[in-house]
Amino acid sequence: MQNHITQIATQAKAAFYQLAHAESARKNQALILLADLIGEHENTLLAANVQDMANAQQKGVDNAMLDRLKITSGSLKNMREGLLQIVALPDPVGEMDEFRLRPNGLRIGKMRVPLGVIGMIYEARPNVTVDAAALCLKSGNACILRGGSEAFHSNMALAKLIKQALHDTGLPEHAVCFVEDTDRQHVGDMLQAVDLIDVIIPRGGKSLVERISTESRVPVIKHLDGICHVYIDEFADKNKAIAIAFNAKTSRYGTCNTMETLLIHEKRAAEILPELANLYAEKGVELRGCLKTRDILPNMIAATDEDWDTEYLAPVLAIKIVANIDEAIFHINQHGSHHTDSIVTENYTLANVFLRVVDSASVMVNASTRFADGFEYGLGAEIGISTDKIHVRGPVGLHGLTSQKWVVLGDGQVRG
Amino acid sequence: MQNHITQIATQAKAAFYQLAHAESARKNQALILLADLIGEHENTLLAANVQDMANAQQKGVDNAMLDRLKITSGSLKNMREGLLQIVALPDPVGEMDEFRLRPNGLRIGKMRVPLGVIGMIYEARPNVTVDAAALCLKSGNACILRGGSEAFHSNMALAKLIKQALHDTGLPEHAVCFVEDTDRQHVGDMLQAVDLIDVIIPRGGKSLVERISTESRVPVIKHLDGICHVYIDEFADKNKAIAIAFNAKTSRYGTCNTMETLLIHEKRAAEILPELANLYAEKGVELRGCLKTRDILPNMIAATDEDWDTEYLAPVLAIKIVANIDEAIFHINQHGSHHTDSIVTENYTLANVFLRVVDSASVMVNASTRFADGFEYGLGAEIGISTDKIHVRGPVGLHGLTSQKWVVLGDGQVRG
């Protein structure tokens, strides 16, 4: 059944196969040219964005959304720097490893290859348009970008530059495709385009991501929740514990790697919690505690069962005192979102138990959960953070946009 | 919403977390014990299978199905050997690599971890029960096994031994769960058990796999089609070409890695095809050719467009003459099932082009497509062969049942 999306996706698939012939240098050349074009056309981009901002304000969109939508000279500079960082990353495509010689003389190993056609469905941020196009191109994937309707003019202005960069470097123009009208039906059609689109990556609010992952027949790589924990163990260094618990909550409230629940061993609670509570109070963080926590800090609001399962994305923190590391790990695996969790301890064995048994995309010892992102992990850039368990967990960089195929090198072998 | 499956899956999830504490030695001990138990209870297993066979014959099930269903002394011996092979494989859980030191002193790398709870939905073969239980257990996953109703008594007899092996080695009994009645609703419930079941692996006929992958809200690792190609290139060694093309078609007809379409360069067709046609004729293979092929071998049936997209699983072969490697690769990417494709050539550059550009789970040079399986690749065993593009491609062994989480080792670092 042909529709607008299957037409686009068919072009994207053809472009993907053409991209397999494109060497790294040419892909990098296109990204460098795109960075230059963004610099040259700054005024056009800003003007397009002014239009989007005006429409959004007229619709009464909230400030957080306006903030994500806005393009400034500074954000354009960041886009250009981001592009050059992606240029500097090694090309993962074609990496070969794990070759073994089999008894029959076959040499069998793996080659890293792109996934194919990636469908990105995202909300307001126009910088995602550039990041996604660049990461997909560098990793040899074609992509279909469907940005939010609020950012329509900004995205179309960026699309024009991306197409020019592809064209001028001799790369297939449909390597980066755009859904150029805001009909919501197209999103539904993308989710049904099995065999044409190989993976869907949604980025946006939880309701968008949930809807997409429920409806999609195409495999989805997604980020859902960030309910992150810090566990202050019996053998924690007090100073590290306070610094990490404070930073993990307060350095930014709206990010997915922000701590939402603090767990602390019962033997250290009376010593550490009052001091931490003072620091949080200075920052205006609302604390909600379990029964034992409120024995130590009686003025605190009582945490309900719902608190353990809530991503506040706000200056609110739930606190629970636990009897031991097993209770802490049980709580994290039960109530967390398998995103990022950290233990503060000086005990070697307990650190290793935590690393092994906590079932999260990122597990940390003596570090703030706030480090969980592609840039901090040295990926150079990320297309998202996965809370899925198959294919890729945590920050998704170039490698997460590839998989490995088997390579079998023979000399005429046949099977007996 | 509680139902029979969510009850089982909740038990399996709890068992999965307990398994995280189980060292390799204990998992191996359970598999060795299971091998012993299968030996001790041979008569019980054979008797249960006789019951299944009688029921199946009464229902008028076809011979191929009966063949898959049947348990013999020999097949029990194979199950036991398979178990000991899995025991001998290195445990992938906890492998750590790619550690890098970041500028802030954090050491960041990856640890290999199980996926969680794996739901297996499969048809008649009782040996899948043992293979799947063993591969999942060894890789630290809990599993829920739902075998075909035809094999019900055989599977329940095996289930009893598996439970005993887990119990007697002190492993959680629900590490391997069984759907112990044949209500088809349970399959539907498994496909909806998001958050409880982490991945579904269907094994069986194409219609089963298609239905499951269409309906499932849980991610699926699946094998759909095996439309495999051999391309005899302009620079092929004639003897290798004939040996490989003959073996890839005739060594077994019903396997997914059997060649279904032979592609041959126009400069070599007249020299090679007649000789090959004679060999195929001796084996009773029906040939269907393109127009150019029938210029050389006029008595051949004409191939239609449908032939290029057909997995015969039978002594039938489609043959197409192509003008060059580009046409061959285009045909494979267009009509193949991204399973396994092989080029026969002595040309270094063309071999590399084929390896890079053909978008299949296994790409081969000068080897029969029939080698594409877990045992031949040295995985020791396989739980299936994936034709998906994310997570894992080709034969799925222990590594395919795991993913990698990020490990961050700090010394009190906080984010600025």
Side-chain angles (χ1 to χ4, degrees):
Chain A
M1 204 180 55
Q2 276 286 88
N3 57 41
H4 185 54
I5 292 298
T6 54
Q7 277 170 24
I8 293 177
T10 303
Q11 292 170 325
K13 187 68 102 180
F16 160 62
Y17 287 125
Q18 289 170 51
L19 271 186
H21 297 277
E23 59 280 40
S24 279
R26 193 181 294 268
K27 296 187 285 187
N28 286 336
Q29 206 186 330
L31 299 180
I32 293 167
L33 176 56
L34 176 58
D36 291 343
L37 289 171
I38 289 173
E40 284 167 31
H41 294 82
E42 176 161 333
N43 290 337
T44 317
L45 293 168
L46 292 175
N49 186 248
V50 163
Q51 220 177 325
D52 285 330
M53 290 291 286
N55 291 346
Q57 275 161 332
Q58 219 165 22
K59 278 196 211 159
V61 156
D62 68 24
N63 282 334
M65 171 74 102
L66 289 176
D67 193 46
R68 288 197 291 272
L69 181 57
K70 192 172 174 68
I71 295 180
T72 62
S73 247
S75 63
L76 290 176
K77 188 158 165 280
N78 288 343
M79 279 183 210
R80 296 169 60 192
E81 278 172 7
L83 284 167
L84 300 181
Q85 278 169 13
I86 293 170
V87 168
L89 293 173
D91 187 340
V93 178
E95 276 176 9
M96 304 226 280
D97 60 11
E98 298 180 44
F99 273 82
R100 310 260 184 280
L101 184 63
R102 301 290 304 156
N104 57 8
L106 290 175
R107 284 173 297 142
I108 302 184
K110 290 177 178 175
M111 184 194 287
R112 196 161 282 285
V113 288
L115 296 174
V117 176
I118 294 174
M120 287 284 305
I121 300 169
Y122 52 104
E123 289 180 334
R125 296 180 196 273
N127 66 309
V128 174
T129 303
V130 173
D131 285 354
L135 285 166
C136 289
L137 182 68
K138 177 91 186 201
S139 56
N141 293 286
C143 62
I144 301 173
L145 306 182
R146 200 281 185 186
S149 52
E150 316 77 23
F152 183 72
H153 297 96
S154 312
N155 284 339
M156 288 306 105
L158 288 166
K160 205 175 155 198
L161 304 183
I162 292 170
K163 287 178 193 173
Q164 189 182 334
L166 291 168
H167 177 268
D168 290 0
T169 42
L171 287 170
E173 210 173 303
H174 293 111
V176 184
C177 294
F178 299 88
V179 181
E180 301 201 356
D181 71 70
T182 56
D183 186 343
R184 291 187 75 101
Q185 178 58 37
H186 296 330
V187 173
D189 290 339
M190 287 175 75
L191 305 183
Q192 300 301 316
V194 176
D195 295 333
L196 288 172
I197 300 179
D198 294 290
V199 61
I200 294 279
I201 303 179
R203 281 189 64 172
K206 192 176 167 180
S207 67
L208 173 82
V209 176
E210 263 181 343
R211 187 170 68 82
I212 284 173
S213 97
T214 303
E215 286 178 20
S216 187
R217 288 192 53 208
V218 177
V220 172
I221 299 174
K222 66 174 181 300
H223 174 279
L224 214 49
D225 278 314
I227 304 177
C228 302
H229 301 76
V230 170
Y231 166 55
I232 299 176
D233 177 53
E234 179 179 1
F235 306 102
D237 175 282
K238 185 182 171 182
N239 291 332
K240 291 178 191 169
I242 289 174
I244 288 169
F246 182 70
N247 181 266
K249 181 71 236 181
T250 65
S251 82
R252 276 181 74 184
Y253 297 115
T255 45
C256 60
N257 53 22
T258 297
M259 167 179 66
E260 305 292 14
T261 300
L262 174 66
L263 303 170
I264 185 165
H265 192 280
E266 59 184 13
K267 290 198 184 147
R268 306 298 298 279
E271 166 198 1
I272 291 175
L273 280 183
E275 202 165 317
L276 254 176
N278 284 339
L279 290 169
Y280 287 134
E282 279 171 27
K283 278 276 191 176
V285 175
E286 178 189 315
L287 303 181
R288 303 183 187 178
C290 69
L291 209 62
K292 287 182 187 170
T293 303
R294 284 179 295 125
D295 281 346
I296 298 170
L297 297 160
N299 292 327
M300 197 180 290
I301 300 167
T304 65
D305 281 353
E306 210 191 323
D307 281 295
W308 313 127
D309 298 319
T310 300
E311 183 180 21
Y312 299 116
L313 297 169
V316 180
L317 176 69
I319 304 179
K320 184 178 184 178
I321 292 174
V322 294
N324 51 45
I325 189 173
D326 291 338
E327 190 185 340
I329 292 174
F330 184 82
H331 180 99
I332 292 169
N333 285 338
Q334 200 74 13
H335 297 283
S337 63
H338 311 292
H339 188 297
T340 299
D341 300 286
S342 184
I343 185 174
V344 185
T345 191
E346 298 300 311
N347 183 294
Y348 170 84
T349 298
L350 295 182
N352 282 312
V353 167
F354 188 90
L355 291 177
R356 179 159 179 158
V357 182
V358 169
D359 182 28
S360 296
S362 293
V363 286
M364 303 183 165
V365 180
N366 294 339
S368 170
T369 56
R370 289 278 294 114
F371 285 111
D373 77 37
F375 185 76
E376 293 291 336
Y377 282 8
L379 304 183
E382 69 183 26
I383 203 157
I385 297 186
S386 163
T387 54
D388 289 320
K389 298 183 80 179
I390 72 163
H391 187 64
V392 59
R393 301 183 76 168
V396 183
L398 290 176
H399 267 72
L401 297 177
T402 63
S403 62
Q404 289 178 303
K405 68 183 178 189
W406 294 90
V407 171
V408 178
L409 304 176
D411 193 33
Q413 282 86 345
V414 297
R415 191 159 172 186
Chain B
M1 205 182 52
Q2 278 286 88
N3 57 42
H4 184 54
I5 292 299
T6 54
Q7 277 170 23
I8 293 177
T10 304
Q11 293 170 325
K13 186 71 103 180
F16 160 62
Y17 288 126
Q18 288 168 51
L19 272 185
H21 297 278
E23 59 281 39
S24 279
R26 193 181 295 268
K27 296 186 285 187
N28 286 336
Q29 207 186 328
L31 299 179
I32 293 168
L33 177 54
L34 176 57
D36 291 344
L37 288 171
I38 289 173
E40 285 167 31
H41 293 83
E42 177 163 331
N43 289 337
T44 317
L45 293 168
L46 293 175
N49 187 248
V50 164
Q51 221 177 326
D52 286 331
M53 290 290 287
N55 290 347
Q57 276 160 329
Q58 216 166 26
K59 277 196 213 158
V61 157
D62 68 25
N63 282 335
M65 172 75 101
L66 288 177
D67 193 47
R68 288 197 291 273
L69 181 56
K70 192 170 175 64
I71 294 181
T72 61
S73 244
S75 63
L76 290 177
K77 187 159 165 280
N78 287 342
M79 281 184 207
R80 296 169 62 192
E81 277 172 9
L83 285 167
L84 299 182
Q85 279 170 11
I86 294 171
V87 168
L89 295 173
D91 186 341
V93 177
E95 276 176 8
M96 304 226 280
D97 61 9
E98 298 180 45
F99 273 79
R100 310 260 184 280
L101 184 64
R102 301 290 304 158
N104 58 8
L106 288 177
R107 285 174 297 144
I108 302 185
K110 290 178 178 172
M111 185 195 287
R112 194 161 284 283
V113 287
L115 296 173
V117 176
I118 294 174
M120 287 284 305
I121 300 169
Y122 53 104
E123 289 180 335
R125 293 181 197 274
N127 66 308
V128 174
T129 303
V130 172
D131 286 354
L135 285 165
C136 289
L137 182 67
K138 177 91 184 202
S139 56
N141 293 285
C143 63
I144 301 173
L145 306 182
R146 201 283 186 187
S149 53
E150 314 76 24
F152 183 72
H153 297 96
S154 312
N155 284 338
M156 288 307 105
L158 289 166
K160 205 175 154 199
L161 303 184
I162 292 170
K163 286 178 194 175
Q164 187 182 335
L166 291 168
H167 177 268
D168 290 359
T169 43
L171 286 170
E173 209 175 301
H174 292 111
V176 183
C177 294
F178 299 88
V179 181
E180 301 200 356
D181 72 71
T182 56
D183 185 346
R184 291 187 76 100
Q185 177 59 36
H186 296 330
V187 173
D189 290 340
M190 285 176 75
L191 306 183
Q192 300 300 316
V194 176
D195 294 334
L196 287 173
I197 299 179
D198 294 291
V199 61
I200 293 279
I201 303 179
R203 280 190 64 173
K206 192 174 168 184
S207 67
L208 173 83
V209 176
E210 262 181 344
R211 186 170 69 84
I212 284 173
S213 98
T214 303
E215 286 178 19
S216 186
R217 289 191 51 211
V218 176
V220 172
I221 298 174
K222 68 176 180 298
H223 172 280
L224 215 48
D225 278 317
I227 303 176
C228 302
H229 300 76
V230 171
Y231 166 54
I232 299 176
D233 178 53
E234 179 179 3
F235 305 102
D237 175 280
K238 184 182 171 185
N239 292 333
K240 291 178 191 170
I242 289 174
I244 289 168
F246 183 69
N247 180 265
K249 183 68 234 180
T250 65
S251 83
R252 276 180 74 182
Y253 297 114
T255 45
C256 60
N257 52 24
T258 296
M259 168 179 67
E260 305 291 14
T261 300
L262 173 66
L263 303 171
I264 183 165
H265 192 281
E266 60 184 15
K267 290 199 185 146
R268 304 299 296 280
E271 166 198 2
I272 291 174
L273 281 183
E275 201 164 321
L276 255 177
N278 285 340
L279 290 170
Y280 288 133
E282 279 170 29
K283 279 275 190 178
V285 176
E286 175 189 319
L287 303 180
R288 304 182 186 178
C290 70
L291 209 62
K292 288 184 187 168
T293 303
R294 284 178 295 125
D295 281 347
I296 298 170
L297 295 162
N299 292 328
M300 199 179 292
I301 300 167
T304 64
D305 281 354
E306 210 191 323
D307 281 296
W308 313 127
D309 299 319
T310 299
E311 183 181 21
Y312 300 116
L313 297 170
V316 180
L317 176 69
I319 303 179
K320 184 178 185 177
I321 293 174
V322 295
N324 51 44
I325 190 174
D326 291 339
E327 191 185 340
I329 292 174
F330 184 82
H331 180 98
I332 292 169
N333 284 338
Q334 200 75 12
H335 297 284
S337 63
H338 312 292
H339 189 297
T340 301
D341 301 287
S342 184
I343 185 173
V344 184
T345 191
E346 297 301 310
N347 182 293
Y348 171 85
T349 298
L350 294 182
N352 282 311
V353 167
F354 189 91
L355 290 177
R356 180 159 179 157
V357 182
V358 169
D359 182 28
S360 296
S362 292
V363 288
M364 302 183 169
V365 180
N366 294 341
S368 169
T369 56
R370 289 278 294 115
F371 285 111
D373 78 37
F375 184 77
E376 293 293 336
Y377 284 7
L379 304 183
E382 68 183 26
I383 203 158
I385 296 186
S386 164
T387 53
D388 290 320
K389 299 183 79 177
I390 71 164
H391 187 64
V392 61
R393 300 183 75 167
V396 182
L398 291 176
H399 267 72
L401 297 177
T402 64
S403 63
Q404 290 178 302
K405 67 184 179 189
W406 293 90
V407 171
V408 178
L409 303 176
D411 193 34
Q413 283 86 346
V414 297
R415 190 155 171 188

